[in-house]
Amino acid sequence: MLSLEHVSKSYDTRHGRRQILKDISFTLARGRNIGILGRNGAGKSTLIRLISGAERPTSGRIRRGMRVSWPLAFAGTFAQHLTGLDNLKFVCRVYNVNYKTVLPFVEDFTELGPQLREPVMHYSHGMSARLAFALSMAIEFDCFLIDEAMVVGDARFHARCNDELFKKRKDRAFILVTHNAAQIREHCENAVVLCEGELLQFPTVAAAYDFYTSMPVAAPQIGAR
Amino acid sequence: MITAWLRGHLLFTFAVLVPTVCSVLYFSLIASDVYVSESHFIVSSSENAMPSGGIAEMLMGASLSHGQSDSSQVHDYILSRDALKELSERLKIEQIFAHREANFFDRFPGLTGGRSFEELFLYYTKHVSVEPDPMSSISVLSVRAFTPEDARRINAELLDMSERLVNTLNERSRRDLIQFADNEVKIASDKAKDAAVALLSYRSNQTVYEPNKEAAIQLEGVSKLHQQLITTEAEIAEIRKLSPDNPQIAGLEGSADLLRKTINAETGKVTSSSGSFSARAPTFERLQLDVEFADKQLGMALAELESARAEAQKKQIYLERLTQPSVQDKAMEPRRIRSIITAFIVSLLFWGIATILVATVREHGE
Amino acid sequence: MAEASTTSLADSFAIQWRVIRALFLRELITRFGRDNLGVLWLVGEPMLFTLGVTTLWSLAGLAHKGSGIPIVAFAVTGYSSVLMWRNSASQCTHAIEGNRPLLFHRSVQAIDVCLARIALEVTGATGSFIFLSSFFTYLGWMQPPDNIALVIEGWLMLAWFGASLALLIGAACVFSDLVHRLWQPVSYILFPMSGAAFMVDWMPKKMQGLVLYLPMVHGVELLRHGYFGTVVKTHYDLGYMAGFCLVLTLCAVYLVRVAGHRIEF
């Protein structure tokens, strides 16, 4: 069970305090999923960081009753000078997994071949994303955080991601954050809309979809942090 | 309700309350009064200059001035096993430290229960301290015991023993310094005696006193004979000129011949190879030089002995008592309130660190 | 705390231990790589530093006449201890900022990153100290320690001081870049005053009082007391050093926690 209780987050900027998230509450039970729709700058990435635990809410609390992954395909945690394999070993050590058991899967999924033993700084954006995604699949998580903006890659990668995530791990919970309403309709059983830092609840995915697609495009806000 | 609160704040209870309560109990009920006896003394030597203590000394490093090394000798001694051994022969030190009224933790043998000499020594070093005063070369000897009189007695005894040590040290350094010079004098005077004896026996053997002077006297006689010979020869020549047949001539020539023979014989006494004065002179000269040299050496050795005596006098160190062992009429130790407050603050610090660390550790568990 | 913990303290500690170990190995390979000597540089780097300083001091004739300590032993015992607190703190100045993305892994906390770096530095300095002193002892340039227990005690105290100082500096750097900029000059000024290059006893009494306000001086003196025994006269107060470290540790762990919670992207 994952729950957010009256979570707010604000940052100090040069133009004074800026509230990104206002009093957000929702819960996600084991094996369920939720889609969060939001335009650029609505606070989606901030919300992901809060849920993943990299940052702390200004007020309110987040309870994690299950193992929550880091944002899927997020390659920022890699040490650039280390090889892909060393990074893999590090993640395995942190999550207490024997790296030998996951290595075949990672090698197969990333299709990096000998490149896996090269420093990550030589990887392309897509290669890093593949490795990061494979790693989050290799570790047993109860709940996946998916920031659509982070999952970059070609169509084949997307297809394989969808296969791993939505087919093979159907029993897991996930939170999908995207600005793409079609994605939500395709994968999620619940949907909410994040609009100017506030979370709007809807009884059905269709209702959220309709609201989001008919929403007037708000004046562009200062870019997402 | 209190137990519920304590149970809710286990960390606080164990890190702060328990130690603080323990220290309050210990310092208010258990800890025995400890009396300190202090005495001040100074160890100095007559040649000692005061330590300069400037930046130069810091740069020059550890060139200890004499006074410091002397006082550190005394400090070392006071905190040595030898001192404790001597002390326990004079006072019943073990009984003093195992005072009946002292509590179990503070008195000897304490918690470990061992009564070995090493344990006594450890206990001793914790109750006797000797510290140099930072600003002067005064040393402060403090002794802790369970009654003021005991502390004073130990302190006084240690001062006495230190004085004796200083005296022994003085005696030893005096002996070391003078012994060498003394030895030198002995050797030199032996040599002088030997040389004088050698000269004396040479004189009596050879029946001469001063060969050179004696030769000179001899030669003087010879030259007088020469003079006489020349006069005689001149007389002969003159008579021959006037009257060659003068009968006086034969007599004069006889005496001239006699003079010539005597001259030859007397000259031979001075210069001939055997038994003459000139043959004896080198040996005599050598013996005389020996005597002179030995005399000079003896003089030098005696002067050295004199200066060694003076040096030893200068190197004498003194232990001066500035204040006699004090007697406290009120126990100033342990500092109960201060110790309790310290214990409280330290346990608070521990608690603070532990609380934060526990919270940090907990954050690792999801 | 922002979330309820369902894991026991022991399990949480096991997780933290795992994390620090993982970070330690990650740092080790990142910094020293696998090329040439590889991780041996962990010990090699401080060793070279110490050797260099030892050579310099020997050439400069820093040996104090009559002190009875060979200059090599003096330099090894002094400089190794400086390395421990100075490098730990220097390495921590960028630890939290530089590893911010790692916080996306739920179990990685700001303090872990610092602790891993501190562990690395302490390990390196300790290894270098042990290696150099055994090597020089083998060569006969140094005597074996007089009292190993005291040496270990002094070393542990110095490590504690180094760790708490490093945590404090590391956390403070999150709040202001100024700390990072100031730390370098401050560490250079502290070095000559740290007791590595002198014995307190060599100072005039007035200076001794001042110098003994610095906690690391007590540690070095204790270390040297253990190493050289009664050959040298040492001045140290373990109580003072422990008290100082205790306060420093409290400030450090508090600040690291606040810093860790303050991290923003």
Side-chain angles (χ1 to χ4, degrees):
Chain A
M1 175 88 144
L2 173 83
S3 67
L4 280 73
E5 298 165 9
H6 309 290
V7 170
S8 298
K9 179 78 187 175
S10 44
Y11 290 105
D12 287 322
T13 67
R14 282 182 197 178
H15 315 289
R17 215 162 167 72
R18 203 170 114 72
Q19 190 154 29
I20 303 293
L21 297 175
K22 295 167 195 157
D23 192 30
I24 287 175
S25 302
F26 71 85
T27 58
L28 181 69
R30 239 168 227 281
R32 310 307 294 267
N33 61 62
I34 190 166
I36 300 176
L37 274 165
R39 301 220 187 275
N40 282 342
K44 294 183 309 243
S45 301
T46 305
L47 185 60
I48 284 284
R49 283 200 298 273
L50 289 183
I51 296 172
S52 77
E55 269 178 62
R56 257 144 233 281
T58 311
S59 65
R61 54 191 297 169
I62 299 171
R63 293 170 190 275
R64 294 181 195 79
M66 43 190 175
R67 282 166 71 116
V68 180
S69 80
W70 67 84
L72 239 55
F74 174 61
T77 67
F78 290 149
Q80 294 296 310
H81 290 276
L82 295 191
T83 65
L85 188 63
D86 282 331
N87 275 301
L88 168 103
K89 282 182 191 171
F90 169 71
V91 172
C92 288
R93 281 191 196 108
V94 167
Y95 289 93
N96 204 16
V97 172
N98 185 349
Y99 83 96
K100 280 179 189 146
T101 59
V102 304
L103 191 56
F105 168 77
V106 172
E107 277 178 327
D108 175 59
F109 184 87
T110 57
E111 295 172 338
L112 282 169
Q115 287 266 61
L116 190 62
R117 286 161 177 84
E118 292 290 319
V120 169
M121 59 184 170
H122 298 321
Y123 287 13
S124 68
H125 212 71
M127 286 156 77
S128 297
R130 283 212 297 279
L131 182 61
F133 185 87
L135 272 175
S136 36
M137 290 300 110
I139 313 275
E140 288 296 314
F141 287 115
D142 303 317
C143 175
F144 292 101
L145 293 182
I146 311 158
D147 188 344
E148 179 64 27
M150 282 188 186
V151 188
V152 291
D154 52 20
R156 184 173 135 76
F157 175 53
H158 275 271
R160 298 192 62 183
C161 287
N162 285 345
D163 178 50
E164 288 292 339
L165 198 59
F166 301 125
K167 297 221 173 77
K168 292 190 184 153
R169 287 171 181 73
K170 252 197 294 204
D171 53 329
R172 312 288 169 82
F174 65 82
I175 299 174
L176 174 60
V177 174
T178 181
H179 59 91
N180 184 349
Q183 288 261 349
I184 301 276
R185 202 159 59 169
E186 189 180 341
H187 299 297
C188 299
E189 50 190 38
N190 276 307
V192 290
V193 175
L194 195 59
C195 181
E196 293 186 36
E198 282 177 78
L199 202 68
L200 308 174
Q201 311 261 4
F202 292 92
T204 60
V205 175
Y209 180 85
D210 290 340
F211 176 81
Y212 182 73
T213 45
S214 62
M215 217 163 70
V217 177
Q221 305 194 2
I222 302 156
R225 287 184 56 133
Chain B
M1 195 196 119
I2 294 173
T3 38
W5 188 89
L6 290 181
R7 217 166 275 157
H9 299 77
L10 264 188
L11 196 59
F12 187 80
T13 309
F14 278 102
V16 181
L17 287 185
V18 171
T20 308
V21 166
C22 281
S23 73
V24 168
L25 286 179
Y26 177 79
F27 284 110
S28 60
L29 299 177
I30 302 175
S32 317
D33 281 348
V34 170
Y35 296 86
V36 185
S37 171
E38 263 188 11
S39 62
H40 295 205
F41 64 87
I42 191 164
V43 179
S44 60
S45 66
S46 24
E47 67 163 359
N48 173 31
M50 285 306 271
S52 61
I55 193 106
E57 190 183 284
M58 176 191 136
L59 292 174
M60 295 304 290
S63 62
L64 293 170
S65 85
H66 252 289
Q68 276 174 307
S69 80
D70 291 333
S71 62
S72 68
Q73 261 178 321
V74 173
H75 296 178
D76 273 1
Y77 171 71
I78 289 177
L79 295 178
S80 72
R81 290 175 175 78
D82 283 354
L84 176 60
K85 222 170 267 171
E86 209 179 323
L87 197 62
S88 42
E89 278 164 21
R90 286 164 201 279
L91 303 169
K92 288 179 175 164
I93 187 91
E94 210 178 307
Q95 281 179 22
I96 291 178
F97 284 151
H99 197 265
R100 277 172 289 107
E101 282 165 31
N103 75 73
F104 181 72
F105 303 101
D106 292 339
R107 72 174 175 223
F108 184 75
L111 286 172
T112 51
R115 285 183 169 274
S116 64
F117 182 73
E118 276 308 307
E119 270 153 310
L120 181 63
F121 179 63
L122 206 67
Y123 190 90
Y124 170 78
T125 52
K126 280 179 187 158
H127 287 74
V128 172
S129 78
V130 52
E131 292 291 337
D133 186 300
M135 300 319 287
S136 60
S137 47
I138 299 171
S139 306
V140 181
L141 172 65
S142 30
V143 176
R144 285 167 172 72
F146 299 115
T147 71
E149 181 51 25
D150 281 345
R152 192 203 61 77
R153 265 165 61 209
I154 298 176
N155 198 319
E157 193 57 50
L158 279 173
L159 275 184
D160 286 348
M161 280 159 53
S162 306
E163 264 166 7
R164 273 197 294 279
L165 170 82
V166 165
N167 288 340
T168 322
L169 287 177
N170 279 340
E171 189 49 44
R172 195 178 302 155
S173 82
R174 214 178 105 81
R175 232 188 298 132
D176 287 350
L177 272 171
I178 292 178
Q179 204 164 34
F180 181 73
D182 224 19
N183 239 11
E184 289 293 290
V185 169
K186 224 167 263 160
I187 292 169
S189 71
D190 281 354
K191 269 190 189 154
K193 262 182 234 157
D194 287 351
V197 166
L199 188 62
L200 217 64
S201 66
Y202 183 80
R203 274 177 176 151
S204 64
N205 280 348
Q206 301 289 326
T207 61
V208 294
Y209 191 75
E210 296 257 336
N212 284 348
K213 276 186 194 158
E214 279 172 45
I217 292 166
Q218 200 85 29
L219 286 174
E220 213 174 301
V222 170
S223 78
K224 267 183 195 149
L225 288 175
H226 257 289
Q227 207 113 47
Q228 250 176 323
L229 180 62
I230 289 164
T231 326
T232 313
E233 278 175 347
E235 217 171 316
I236 292 173
E238 205 168 339
I239 293 174
R240 270 220 183 110
K241 221 186 204 175
L242 295 176
S243 54
D245 300 323
N246 196 326
Q248 265 189 313
I249 291 172
L252 282 170
E253 279 198 330
S255 72
D257 273 349
L258 193 66
L259 275 172
R260 256 180 225 119
K261 260 178 213 153
T262 319
I263 286 169
N264 275 345
E266 289 302 309
T267 319
K269 268 189 196 165
V270 178
T271 55
S272 82
S273 54
S274 64
S276 69
F277 286 120
S278 67
R280 272 181 244 161
T283 323
F284 179 80
E285 207 99 307
R286 190 172 55 73
L287 287 172
Q288 205 171 25
L289 270 178
D290 278 353
V291 170
E292 265 170 45
F293 186 65
D295 279 349
K296 255 183 208 157
Q297 241 181 347
L298 179 61
M300 256 154 41
L302 280 170
E304 210 132 287
L305 177 64
E306 208 44 53
S307 70
R309 283 220 171 93
E311 180 85 346
Q313 194 62 38
K314 265 202 286 184
K315 285 233 166 101
Q316 291 275 31
I317 52 176
Y318 305 96
L319 190 152
E320 271 174 82
R321 300 182 185 205
L322 300 178
T323 62
Q324 291 292 340
S326 60
V327 182
Q328 285 181 334
D329 60 351
K330 181 177 186 300
M332 298 309 282
E333 288 186 19
R335 293 178 174 170
R336 297 168 199 275
I337 305 287
R338 226 182 96 148
S339 305
I340 290 172
I341 292 174
T342 309
F344 179 64
I345 291 175
V346 168
S347 53
L348 262 188
L349 285 172
F350 261 115
W351 172 74
I353 294 170
T355 313
I356 298 174
L357 283 183
V358 165
T360 309
V361 169
R362 278 202 192 283
E363 277 178 14
H364 288 80
E366 285 134 329
Chain C
M1 265 168 287
E3 62 273 332
S5 46
T6 51
T7 324
S8 77
L9 190 63
D11 288 342
S12 301
F13 184 73
I15 293 171
Q16 182 173 20
W17 181 254
R18 222 165 57 210
V19 168
I20 294 175
R21 185 175 161 273
L23 284 165
F24 181 90
L25 293 170
R26 180 177 186 269
E27 282 290 326
L28 194 64
I29 299 172
T30 313
R31 268 183 62 192
F32 302 108
R34 292 212 168 80
D35 303 332
N36 54 63
L37 285 179
V39 294
L40 280 182
W41 279 113
L42 172 66
V43 176
E45 206 178 76
M47 225 169 71
L48 283 183
F49 264 112
T50 314
L51 276 179
V53 166
T54 306
T55 318
L56 263 177
W57 288 7
S58 304
L59 292 179
L62 205 73
H64 288 255
K65 278 160 270 164
S67 62
I69 314 176
I71 183 71
V72 170
F74 183 69
V76 168
T77 50
Y79 199 68
S80 305
S81 57
V82 171
L83 278 179
M84 192 147 64
W85 58 262
R86 202 177 65 183
N87 284 9
S88 298
S90 298
Q91 285 297 325
C92 276
T93 51
H94 275 144
I96 299 179
E97 279 293 309
N99 284 315
R100 232 167 27 172
L102 283 184
L103 302 183
F104 271 108
H105 297 300
R106 276 295 300 130
S107 40
V108 178
Q109 307 272 337
I111 195 174
D112 301 337
V113 183
C114 289
L115 286 178
R117 290 207 171 175
I118 291 167
L120 204 66
E121 288 307 322
V122 170
T123 311
T126 309
S128 136
F129 179 57
I130 292 174
F131 182 84
L132 280 181
S133 49
S134 341
F135 181 64
F136 284 137
T137 305
Y138 172 75
L139 286 184
W141 296 359
M142 266 170 96
Q143 293 292 311
D146 181 73
N147 184 341
I148 291 219
L150 280 185
V151 172
I152 294 174
E153 198 181 325
W155 194 255
L156 287 180
M157 287 302 288
L158 282 164
W160 179 16
F161 169 72
S164 48
L165 179 74
L167 277 180
L168 190 73
I169 299 278
C173 282
V174 173
F175 293 96
S176 169
D177 278 346
L178 215 60
V179 178
H180 173 236
R181 284 192 213 300
L182 286 181
W183 168 245
Q184 295 299 337
V186 166
S187 75
Y188 272 92
I189 294 166
L190 279 179
F191 165 51
M193 300 198 288
S194 67
F198 62 84
M199 297 290 302
V200 173
D201 203 50
W202 300 346
M203 310 280 265
K205 299 283 182 195
K206 273 183 191 164
M207 288 287 283
Q208 290 187 4
L210 288 179
V211 154
L212 283 173
Y213 279 112
L214 290 174
M216 53 274 202
V217 176
H218 296 263
V220 181
E221 290 280 307
L222 169 57
L223 177 69
R224 289 206 170 120
H225 180 205
Y227 209 97
F228 300 115
T230 48
V231 175
V232 289
K233 181 150 175 51
T234 48
H235 304 257
Y236 59 86
D237 180 355
L238 259 191
Y240 173 77
M241 189 179 181
F244 195 104
C245 289
L246 215 53
V247 175
L248 196 66
T249 310
L250 181 63
C251 298
V253 289
Y254 175 73
L255 214 59
V256 172
R257 197 168 153 76
V258 175
H261 289 189
R262 230 183 89 111
I263 285 279
E264 289 171 357
F265 286 82

